[in-house]
Amino acid sequence: MSDAVSFTRDGEIGVITVANPPVNALSQPVRAGLKDAVQAGLADAGVKAMVLICDGATFIAGADIREFGKPLAAPSLVPVIDAMEASDKPIVAAIHGTALGGGLEVALGCHYRVAVPGARVGLPEVNLGLLPGAGGTQRLPRLVGVEKALDFIVQGTHVPAAEARRLGLLDELIEGDLKTGAIAFARRVLAENRGVKRASALPVAPVAADFFANYEAGIARRLRGFKAPFNIIKAVQAAAELPFAAGMKREAELFQDLMTSSESRAQRHVFFAEREVAKIPGLPKDTAQREINTAAVIGAGTMGGGIAMNFANAGIPVTLLEINREALDRGIAVIRKNYEATASKGRLTTADVEKRMGLITPSTAYDDIKQADVVIEAVFENMDIKKEVFRTLDSVAKPGAILATNTSTLNVDEIASATKRPQDVIGMHFFSPANVMRLLENVRGKQTANDVIATVMNLSRRIGKIGVLVGVCDGFVGNRMLHQRTREAMFLVEEGARPEQIDKVLYDFGFPMGPFAMADMAGLDVGYKVREERRKAGKIEPRESLWIDKIVEMGRHGQKTNAGIYRYADGRTPLPDPEIERLIAQCARDAGIAQRQISDQEILERCLYPMINEGAKILEEGIAARALDIDIIWINGYGFPAYRGGPMFWADEIGLKTVCEAYRKYAGQFGDTYWKPAPLLEKLAREGKGFYDL
Ligand code: 3HC
Ligand code: NAI
């Protein structure tokens, strides 16, 4: 046997134990060990049944993703599972933690499955752009039915044990010690002569002739661009229509098709990148952390309310501070409304709502936040007001409290300078809606202490966010790159592309919506005010497009006024508006720009390549430490399609040379004001390297 798998005996029960930390992934030694262990159990006449159990925090959490993309060392998983299922001595899988992917497939190859009540099971391969490739798509429909199996595999969720029991996926829940319970269960199987129950031998309950076509139509829009869900449907259809062996063959083909796809490569990259962002280069892993047991949020507006909810959701008491009672009551009422809406959809109980509301203490007195371990400021976006708030915080917050700002455009170092403790000040840039969006840009100031950074990165995870560390600059990482895209999109419209054409190109690329539909949704007045401020401050861009400001000046502020760049007959569906088309044409004439037909390819390049170029500058300046930080920001904060891996990963895929050549082409056409490649981009392109080679 390998070190990763051991075989022991408890009377007539053989116990196979997997020990491959941290998550008992099915690396080669585990696969080989499982095969040997089953053989040992079969060869030992004293063994009548077997239990498969895991050491450590979890049952097998899946195939070893690090082995993907390389030639697989024998044995592969399918014959190992087949050998288990073929055993004539019953095998019981004993599950704790999570049985995921290949791990659950191993359990499905066992004859019985028991689990502790806290366990979860799932086939989350879809999140890696894959499908369960070791019989999951063939055995699961036989156990739980086609429709349930499809939901299970297409959604890839981790299903709680009780629900898995109801579905028929688990045979029993074990209270108390799992090993003892599983061995007792195996003895009962023997005593009751229940024999071996092979999932592969079960029939698949028939479904309607158009079931699979309808299922596909049902997910087509939501999951567009992803490849795996559609291959999953085909694999489950094979389970329904073909004998088991032929179904397995089809599953293997469809799995292989995904394994070599760019979509899966990108999604696997995202899986690891999401974990890497938490590891900060230069920050020792054992950096001491400050204890966070209580929080305070200043400002109960759009952002402050959502931020407070995150803490309440995580069970951390939070005080919400406002200037006056009226604003406070308004903020609290919005929070309650949000929770009640969730409860009405059945996703929270009324008791949960009250518990969470109970964790939020409304206040108008700074005295109430003296003991908070972390304070997050979310007041108006105005430097004088922010400084005033931080001066006050400096005088009331307890020593060692972390003082964070949610500013999206102001300089965190300047805010920190209002205090005598800039080492305790950091940016925590939440995205709207703050209780929903997973991204959190944590902004390190010049003087922010290492333990503050470590604490805030860990806190991000505790409150359900993906924290990415960035440095201080205009717009931080996300908005700074977005600004590039917005500018080019506006120019393109002036030059003759229609807003709906641009929106469609970016929607088809995989964004949830295009920039103009998004602008209308967010409200055009927001950007207008920002541009007005800039103009007042004398910051005139070398080229300004004025058409969008003219739309705002017509009183068209977007969806909320039923008209913006688009018109809205039903309040939310954007419709092209001839009046706006005329206005844009007039603006172009006024600016001396001849309108022309613009290709979708030009739109894509001009919208996305400047983002990549800005990303290169961000890396050069050290604002983001790694390309993966930028990618995770764009995927989680701006809807960049995960199956393209983020803008920097995508850039590497298309080749930086291609990007640089396009830069030269556009510089020839428009001059190099906006088309000067960043030195890092040029250097990498010259060397034939990518951002991920850095
Ligand atoms: N292979 C290799 N490494 C894995 C892994 C896997 N399947 N799952 C997790 N890890 C690693 C992580 O990269 C991380 O490494 P690090 O410490 O070096 O960063 C470490 O294990 C711990 O992972 P988490 O930080 O995610 O720990 P959590 O406790 O938060 O979560 C988990 C544990 C729920 C198991 C989560 O890691 C997870 O969801 N893992 C992926 C599960 C999965 O997708 N399984 C399917 C794999 S594909 C497959 O099985 C194909 C088959 O059908 C043929
Ligand atoms: P908002 O106007 O909805 O809320 C601000 C709240 O702060 C108001 O309720 C106001 O009464 C309160 N307030 C003002 N001065 C205060 C003070 N001195 N003490 C206590 N409370 C005070 O604004 P919003 O949108 O929530 O923005 C807050 C911060 O979050 C800003 O810095 C903004 O840039 C940032 N932000 C906003 C995002 C958005 O999409 N709205 C996204 C990310 C960051």
Side-chain angles (χ1 to χ4, degrees), residues 4-81:
V5 182
S6 61
F7 185 85
T8 54
R9 278 194 41 190
D10 184 308
E12 77 286 27
I13 309 296
V15 180
I16 303 170
T17 308
V18 178
N20 184 29
V23 298
N24 290 316
L26 288 158
S27 326
Q28 191 278 340
V30 176
R31 296 195 300 274
L34 283 175
K35 185 168 157 241
D36 293 347
V38 172
Q39 262 165 16
L42 290 173
D44 186 338
V47 169
K48 304 292 178 213
M50 290 177 255
V51 164
L52 167 63
I53 194 162
C54 292
D55 270 354
T58 179
F59 191 77
I60 301 166
D64 185 341
I65 304 168
R66 293 178 203 277
E67 287 182 354
F68 290 173
K70 305 173 198 147
L72 195 77
S76 62
L77 189 54
V78 170
V80 173
I81 294 176

Coordinates of all heavy atoms in Angstrom, one line a residue, residues 4-81:
A4 N -0.2 7.0 1.5 CA -1.5 7.7 1.5 C -2.7 6.9 1.8 O -3.7 7.4 2.1 CB -1.7 8.4 0.1
V5 N -2.6 5.6 1.7 CA -3.7 4.7 1.9 C -3.3 3.5 2.8 O -2.3 2.9 2.5 CB -4.4 4.2 0.6 CG1 -5.6 3.3 0.9 CG2 -4.7 5.3 -0.3
S6 N -4.0 3.3 3.9 CA -3.7 2.2 4.7 C -4.9 1.2 4.8 O -6.0 1.6 4.6 CB -3.3 2.6 6.1 OG -4.4 3.3 6.7
F7 N -4.5 0.0 5.1 CA -5.6 -1.1 5.3 C -5.4 -1.7 6.6 O -4.4 -2.2 7.0 CB -5.5 -2.1 4.2 CG -6.6 -3.1 4.2 CD1 -7.8 -2.8 3.5 CD2 -6.4 -4.3 4.9 CE1 -8.8 -3.8 3.5 CE2 -7.5 -5.3 4.9 CZ -8.7 -5.0 4.2
T8 N -6.5 -1.7 7.5 CA -6.4 -2.3 8.8 C -7.7 -3.2 8.9 O -8.6 -3.1 8.0 CB -6.4 -1.3 9.9 OG1 -7.5 -0.4 9.7 CG2 -5.1 -0.5 9.9
R9 N -7.7 -3.9 10.0 CA -9.0 -4.7 10.2 C -9.6 -4.5 11.5 O -9.0 -4.2 12.5 CB -8.6 -6.2 10.1 CG -8.5 -6.6 8.6 CD -8.5 -8.1 8.4 NE -9.4 -8.9 9.3 CZ -9.4 -10.2 9.3 NH1 -8.5 -10.9 8.6 NH2 -10.2 -10.8 10.1
D10 N -10.9 -4.5 11.5 CA -11.7 -4.4 12.8 C -12.6 -5.6 12.7 O -13.6 -5.6 12.1 CB -12.5 -3.1 12.8 CG -13.3 -2.9 14.1 OD1 -14.0 -3.9 14.5 OD2 -13.1 -1.9 14.7
G11 N -12.1 -6.8 13.2 CA -12.8 -8.0 13.1 C -12.9 -8.4 11.6 O -12.0 -8.3 10.8
E12 N -14.2 -8.6 11.2 CA -14.4 -9.0 9.8 C -14.5 -7.8 8.8 O -14.8 -8.0 7.6 CB -15.6 -10.0 9.7 CG -17.0 -9.3 9.8 CD -17.4 -8.8 11.2 OE1 -16.5 -8.5 12.0 OE2 -18.6 -8.7 11.4
I13 N -14.3 -6.6 9.4 CA -14.5 -5.4 8.5 C -13.1 -4.9 8.2 O -12.3 -4.6 9.1 CB -15.3 -4.3 9.2 CG1 -16.6 -4.9 9.8 CG2 -15.5 -3.1 8.3 CD1 -17.6 -5.4 8.7
G14 N -12.8 -4.8 6.9 CA -11.5 -4.2 6.5 C -11.7 -2.6 6.4 O -12.7 -2.2 5.9
V15 N -10.8 -1.9 7.0 CA -10.9 -0.4 7.0 C -9.8 0.2 6.1 O -8.6 0.0 6.4 CB -10.8 0.1 8.5 CG1 -11.0 1.6 8.4 CG2 -11.9 -0.5 9.3
I16 N -10.3 0.8 5.1 CA -9.3 1.5 4.2 C -9.3 3.0 4.6 O -10.4 3.6 4.6 CB -9.8 1.4 2.7 CG1 -10.0 -0.1 2.3 CG2 -8.9 2.1 1.7 CD1 -10.7 -0.3 1.0
T17 N -8.1 3.5 4.9 CA -8.0 4.9 5.3 C -7.1 5.7 4.4 O -6.0 5.3 4.1 CB -7.5 5.0 6.8 OG1 -8.3 4.1 7.6 CG2 -7.6 6.4 7.3
V18 N -7.7 6.8 3.9 CA -6.9 7.7 3.0 C -6.4 8.8 3.8 O -7.1 9.4 4.7 CB -7.8 8.3 1.9 CG1 -7.1 9.2 1.0 CG2 -8.5 7.1 1.1
A19 N -5.1 9.1 3.6 CA -4.5 10.3 4.4 C -3.6 11.0 3.4 O -2.4 10.7 3.2 CB -3.7 9.7 5.6
N20 N -4.2 12.0 2.8 CA -3.4 12.8 1.8 C -3.7 14.3 2.0 O -4.5 14.8 1.3 CB -3.7 12.3 0.4 CG -2.9 13.1 -0.7 OD1 -1.8 13.5 -0.4 ND2 -3.4 13.2 -1.9
P21 N -3.2 14.9 3.0 CA -3.5 16.3 3.3 C -3.2 17.2 2.2 O -2.3 16.9 1.4 CB -2.7 16.6 4.6 CG -1.8 15.5 4.8 CD -2.1 14.4 3.9
P22 N -3.8 18.4 2.1 CA -4.8 18.9 3.0 C -6.2 18.4 2.7 O -7.1 18.4 3.6 CB -4.8 20.4 2.8 CG -4.4 20.6 1.3 CD -3.4 19.4 1.0
V23 N -6.6 17.9 1.5 CA -8.0 17.7 1.2 C -8.2 16.2 0.7 O -9.2 15.9 0.2 CB -8.6 18.7 0.3 CG1 -8.6 20.1 0.9 CG2 -7.9 18.7 -1.1
N24 N -7.2 15.4 0.9 CA -7.3 14.0 0.5 C -7.6 13.8 -1.0 O -8.3 13.0 -1.4 CB -8.3 13.2 1.3 CG -7.8 13.0 2.7 OD1 -6.7 12.6 2.9 ND2 -8.7 13.2 3.7
A25 N -7.0 14.7 -1.8 CA -7.2 14.7 -3.3 C -6.7 13.4 -3.8 O -5.8 12.8 -3.2 CB -6.5 15.9 -3.9
L26 N -7.2 13.0 -4.9 CA -6.9 11.7 -5.5 C -5.6 11.7 -6.3 O -5.6 11.4 -7.5 CB -8.1 11.2 -6.4 CG -9.4 10.8 -5.7 CD1 -10.6 10.9 -6.6 CD2 -9.2 9.4 -5.1
S27 N -4.5 12.0 -5.7 CA -3.2 12.0 -6.4 C -2.9 10.6 -6.7 O -3.5 9.6 -6.2 CB -2.2 12.6 -5.5 OG -2.7 13.6 -4.7
Q28 N -1.9 10.4 -7.5 CA -1.5 9.0 -8.0 C -1.3 8.1 -6.8 O -1.9 6.9 -6.8 CB -0.2 9.1 -8.9 CG 0.1 7.8 -9.6 CD 0.8 6.8 -8.7 OE1 1.4 7.2 -7.7 NE2 0.8 5.5 -9.1
P29 N -0.6 8.4 -5.7 CA -0.5 7.5 -4.6 C -1.8 7.0 -4.0 O -1.9 5.9 -3.5 CB 0.4 8.2 -3.6 CG 1.1 9.3 -4.4 CD 0.2 9.7 -5.5
V30 N -2.8 7.9 -4.0 CA -4.1 7.6 -3.4 C -4.8 6.6 -4.4 O -5.3 5.6 -3.9 CB -4.9 8.9 -3.2 CG1 -6.3 8.5 -2.7 CG2 -4.3 9.8 -2.2
R31 N -4.7 6.9 -5.7 CA -5.4 6.0 -6.6 C -4.8 4.6 -6.5 O -5.5 3.6 -6.4 CB -5.3 6.5 -8.1 CG -6.0 7.8 -8.3 CD -6.1 8.1 -9.8 NE -4.8 8.2 -10.5 CZ -4.1 9.3 -10.6 NH1 -4.5 10.4 -10.0 NH2 -2.9 9.3 -11.3
A32 N -3.4 4.5 -6.5 CA -2.8 3.2 -6.5 C -3.1 2.6 -5.1 O -3.3 1.4 -5.1 CB -1.3 3.5 -6.6
G33 N -3.1 3.4 -4.1 CA -3.3 2.8 -2.7 C -4.7 2.2 -2.6 O -4.9 1.2 -2.0
L34 N -5.7 2.9 -3.2 CA -7.1 2.4 -3.1 C -7.2 1.1 -3.8 O -7.8 0.2 -3.4 CB -8.0 3.4 -3.8 CG -8.4 4.7 -3.0 CD1 -9.3 5.6 -3.8 CD2 -9.2 4.3 -1.7
K35 N -6.5 1.0 -5.0 CA -6.6 -0.2 -5.8 C -6.0 -1.4 -5.0 O -6.6 -2.5 -4.8 CB -5.8 0.0 -7.1 CG -5.9 -1.1 -8.1 CD -5.3 -0.7 -9.4 CE -4.8 -1.9 -10.2 NZ -3.4 -1.9 -10.5
D36 N -4.8 -1.1 -4.4 CA -4.2 -2.2 -3.6 C -5.0 -2.5 -2.4 O -5.1 -3.7 -2.0 CB -2.8 -1.7 -3.1 CG -1.8 -1.5 -4.3 OD1 -2.2 -2.0 -5.4 OD2 -0.8 -0.9 -4.1
A37 N -5.6 -1.5 -1.7 CA -6.3 -1.8 -0.5 C -7.6 -2.7 -0.8 O -7.9 -3.6 0.0 CB -6.8 -0.5 0.1
V38 N -8.2 -2.4 -1.9 CA -9.4 -3.2 -2.2 C -8.9 -4.6 -2.5 O -9.6 -5.6 -2.1 CB -10.2 -2.6 -3.4 CG1 -11.3 -3.5 -3.9 CG2 -10.8 -1.3 -3.0
Q39 N -7.8 -4.8 -3.2 CA -7.3 -6.1 -3.5 C -7.0 -6.8 -2.2 O -7.3 -8.0 -2.1 CB -6.1 -6.0 -4.4 CG -6.4 -6.2 -5.9 CD -5.3 -5.7 -6.8 OE1 -4.2 -5.5 -6.4 NE2 -5.7 -5.6 -8.1
A40 N -6.4 -6.1 -1.3 CA -6.0 -6.7 0.0 C -7.2 -7.2 0.7 O -7.3 -8.3 1.3 CB -5.2 -5.7 0.9
G41 N -8.3 -6.4 0.7 CA -9.5 -6.8 1.3 C -10.2 -8.0 0.7 O -10.7 -8.9 1.3
L42 N -10.1 -8.1 -0.7 CA -10.6 -9.2 -1.4 C -9.8 -10.5 -1.1 O -10.4 -11.6 -1.0 CB -10.7 -8.9 -2.9 CG -11.7 -7.8 -3.3 CD1 -11.6 -7.5 -4.8 CD2 -13.1 -8.3 -3.0
A43 N -8.5 -10.3 -1.0 CA -7.6 -11.5 -0.8 C -7.7 -12.0 0.6 O -7.4 -13.2 0.8 CB -6.2 -11.1 -1.2
D44 N -8.1 -11.2 1.5 CA -8.2 -11.7 2.9 C -9.5 -12.4 3.2 O -10.5 -11.7 3.3 CB -7.9 -10.4 3.8 CG -7.8 -10.8 5.3 OD1 -8.3 -11.9 5.7 OD2 -7.2 -10.0 6.0
A45 N -9.5 -13.7 3.4 CA -10.7 -14.4 3.6 C -11.4 -14.0 4.9 O -12.6 -14.2 5.0 CB -10.4 -15.9 3.7
G46 N -10.7 -13.4 5.8 CA -11.3 -13.0 7.1 C -12.1 -11.7 6.9 O -13.0 -11.4 7.8
V47 N -11.9 -11.0 5.8 CA -12.6 -9.7 5.6 C -13.9 -10.0 4.9 O -13.9 -10.7 3.8 CB -11.7 -8.8 4.8 CG1 -12.6 -7.6 4.3 CG2 -10.5 -8.3 5.6
K48 N -15.0 -9.6 5.5 CA -16.3 -9.8 4.8 C -16.9 -8.6 4.2 O -17.8 -8.6 3.3 CB -17.3 -10.3 5.9 CG -16.9 -11.6 6.6 CD -16.8 -12.8 5.7 CE -16.3 -14.0 6.4 NZ -15.5 -14.9 5.5
A49 N -16.5 -7.4 4.7 CA -17.0 -6.1 4.1 C -15.9 -5.1 4.4 O -15.0 -5.3 5.2 CB -18.3 -5.7 4.8
M50 N -16.0 -3.9 3.7 CA -15.0 -2.9 3.9 C -15.6 -1.6 4.1 O -16.7 -1.3 3.7 CB -14.1 -2.8 2.7 CG -13.2 -4.1 2.5 SD -12.2 -4.0 1.0 CE -13.0 -5.2 0.0
V51 N -14.9 -0.7 4.8 CA -15.3 0.7 5.0 C -14.2 1.6 4.5 O -13.0 1.3 4.7 CB -15.5 1.0 6.6 CG1 -15.5 2.5 6.8 CG2 -16.8 0.3 7.1
L52 N -14.6 2.6 3.7 CA -13.6 3.5 3.2 C -13.8 4.8 3.9 O -14.9 5.4 3.9 CB -13.8 3.7 1.7 CG -13.1 4.9 1.0 CD1 -11.5 4.8 1.1 CD2 -13.5 5.1 -0.4
I53 N -12.7 5.3 4.6 CA -12.8 6.5 5.4 C -11.6 7.3 5.2 O -10.6 6.8 4.7 CB -13.0 6.1 6.9 CG1 -13.5 7.3 7.8 CG2 -11.8 5.4 7.5 CD1 -14.1 6.9 9.1
C54 N -11.7 8.6 5.6 CA -10.5 9.5 5.4 C -10.0 10.1 6.7 O -10.8 10.5 7.6 CB -10.8 10.6 4.4 SG -11.1 10.0 2.8
D55 N -8.7 10.3 6.8 CA -8.2 11.1 7.9 C -8.3 12.6 7.6 O -8.5 13.0 6.5 CB -6.6 10.8 8.0 CG -6.4 9.6 8.9 OD1 -7.3 9.1 9.5 OD2 -5.2 9.2 8.9
G56 N -8.1 13.4 8.7 CA -8.0 14.8 8.5 C -9.4 15.5 8.4 O -10.4 14.9 8.8
A57 N -9.4 16.6 7.8 CA -10.6 17.5 7.8 C -11.7 17.0 6.9 O -12.9 17.5 7.0 CB -10.2 18.9 7.4
T58 N -11.4 16.2 6.0 CA -12.5 15.9 4.9 C -12.3 14.5 4.3 O -11.2 14.0 4.3 CB -12.4 17.0 3.9 OG1 -13.4 16.7 2.9 CG2 -11.1 17.1 3.2
F59 N -13.4 14.1 3.7 CA -13.4 12.9 2.8 C -12.6 13.4 1.5 O -12.2 14.6 1.4 CB -14.8 12.5 2.5 CG -14.9 11.2 1.7 CD1 -14.8 10.0 2.4 CD2 -15.2 11.1 0.4 CE1 -14.9 8.8 1.7 CE2 -15.3 9.9 -0.3 CZ -15.2 8.7 0.4
I60 N -12.5 12.6 0.6 CA -11.8 12.9 -0.7 C -12.5 14.1 -1.4 O -13.7 14.0 -1.7 CB -11.7 11.7 -1.6 CG1 -11.0 10.5 -1.0 CG2 -11.0 12.1 -2.9 CD1 -11.2 9.2 -1.7
A61 N -11.7 15.2 -1.6 CA -12.3 16.4 -2.1 C -12.2 16.5 -3.7 O -12.5 17.5 -4.3 CB -11.8 17.7 -1.5
G62 N -11.8 15.4 -4.3 CA -11.8 15.3 -5.7 C -10.4 14.9 -6.3 O -9.5 14.5 -5.6
A63 N -10.4 14.9 -7.6 CA -9.2 14.6 -8.3 C -8.1 15.7 -7.9 O -8.5 16.7 -7.4 CB -9.4 14.7 -9.8
D64 N -6.9 15.3 -8.1 CA -5.8 16.3 -7.7 C -5.7 17.3 -8.9 O -5.1 16.9 -10.0 CB -4.5 15.6 -7.5 CG -3.4 16.5 -7.0 OD1 -3.6 17.8 -7.3 OD2 -2.4 16.1 -6.5
I65 N -6.2 18.5 -8.7 CA -6.3 19.4 -9.9 C -4.9 19.8 -10.4 O -4.7 20.1 -11.5 CB -7.1 20.7 -9.4 CG1 -8.5 20.3 -8.9 CG2 -7.3 21.7 -10.6 CD1 -9.2 21.4 -8.2
R66 N -3.9 19.7 -9.5 CA -2.5 20.0 -9.9 C -2.0 19.0 -10.9 O -1.0 19.3 -11.6 CB -1.6 20.1 -8.7 CG -1.9 21.2 -7.8 CD -1.1 21.3 -6.5 NE -1.7 22.0 -5.5 CZ -1.7 23.4 -5.4 NH1 -1.1 24.1 -6.3 NH2 -2.4 24.0 -4.4
E67 N -2.6 17.8 -11.0 CA -2.1 16.8 -12.0 C -2.7 17.1 -13.4 O -2.3 16.5 -14.4 CB -2.5 15.4 -11.5 CG -1.7 14.9 -10.4 CD -2.1 13.5 -10.0 OE1 -3.1 12.9 -10.6 OE2 -1.4 12.9 -9.1
F68 N -3.7 18.0 -13.4 CA -4.4 18.2 -14.7 C -3.5 18.9 -15.7 O -2.6 19.7 -15.3 CB -5.7 19.0 -14.6 CG -6.8 18.4 -13.8 CD1 -7.9 19.0 -13.5 CD2 -6.7 17.0 -13.5 CE1 -9.0 18.4 -12.8 CE2 -7.8 16.4 -12.8 CZ -8.9 17.1 -12.5
G69 N -3.7 18.5 -17.0 CA -2.9 19.2 -18.0 C -1.5 18.5 -18.2 O -0.8 18.8 -19.0
K70 N -1.3 17.5 -17.4 CA 0.0 16.7 -17.5 C -0.5 15.2 -17.8 O -1.6 14.9 -17.5 CB 0.8 16.7 -16.3 CG 1.2 18.1 -15.8 CD 1.8 18.0 -14.4 CE 1.8 19.3 -13.7 NZ 1.7 19.2 -12.3
P71 N 0.4 14.4 -18.4 CA 0.1 13.0 -18.6 C -0.2 12.4 -17.2 O 0.5 12.6 -16.3 CB 1.3 12.4 -19.2 CG 2.2 13.6 -19.6 CD 1.8 14.7 -18.8
L72 N -1.3 11.6 -17.2 CA -1.8 11.1 -15.9 C -1.0 9.7 -15.6 O -1.0 8.8 -16.4 CB -3.3 10.8 -15.9 CG -3.9 10.6 -14.6 CD1 -4.1 11.9 -13.8 CD2 -5.3 9.9 -14.7
A73 N -0.4 9.7 -14.4 CA 0.3 8.4 -14.1 C -0.7 7.4 -13.6 O -1.7 7.7 -12.9 CB 1.3 8.7 -12.9
A74 N -0.5 6.1 -14.1 CA -1.4 5.0 -13.8 C -1.4 4.7 -12.3 O -0.4 5.0 -11.6 CB -1.0 3.8 -14.6
P75 N -2.5 4.2 -11.8 CA -3.7 3.9 -12.4 C -4.6 5.1 -12.6 O -4.5 6.0 -11.7 CB -4.4 2.9 -11.5 CG -3.9 3.3 -10.1 CD -2.5 3.8 -10.3
S76 N -5.4 5.2 -13.6 CA -6.3 6.3 -13.7 C -7.5 5.9 -12.7 O -7.6 4.8 -12.3 CB -6.8 6.6 -15.1 OG -7.4 5.4 -15.6
L77 N -8.4 6.9 -12.5 CA -9.4 6.7 -11.5 C -10.5 5.7 -11.9 O -11.0 5.0 -11.0 CB -10.0 8.1 -11.2 CG -11.0 8.2 -10.0 CD1 -10.3 7.6 -8.7 CD2 -11.4 9.6 -9.7
V78 N -10.9 5.7 -13.2 CA -12.1 4.9 -13.6 C -11.9 3.4 -13.2 O -12.7 2.8 -12.6 CB -12.4 5.1 -15.0 CG1 -13.5 4.1 -15.5 CG2 -13.0 6.6 -15.2
P79 N -10.7 2.8 -13.6 CA -10.6 1.4 -13.3 C -10.5 1.1 -11.8 O -10.9 0.1 -11.3 CB -9.3 1.0 -13.9 CG -8.6 2.2 -14.5 CD -9.7 3.3 -14.5
V80 N -10.0 2.1 -11.0 CA -9.9 1.9 -9.6 C -11.4 1.9 -9.0 O -11.7 1.0 -8.2 CB -9.2 3.1 -8.9 CG1 -9.3 3.0 -7.4 CG2 -7.7 3.1 -9.3
I81 N -12.2 2.8 -9.5 CA -13.6 2.8 -9.0 C -14.3 1.5 -9.5 O -15.1 0.9 -8.8 CB -14.3 4.1 -9.5 CG1 -13.7 5.3 -8.8 CG2 -15.8 4.0 -9.2 CD1 -14.3 6.6 -9.3

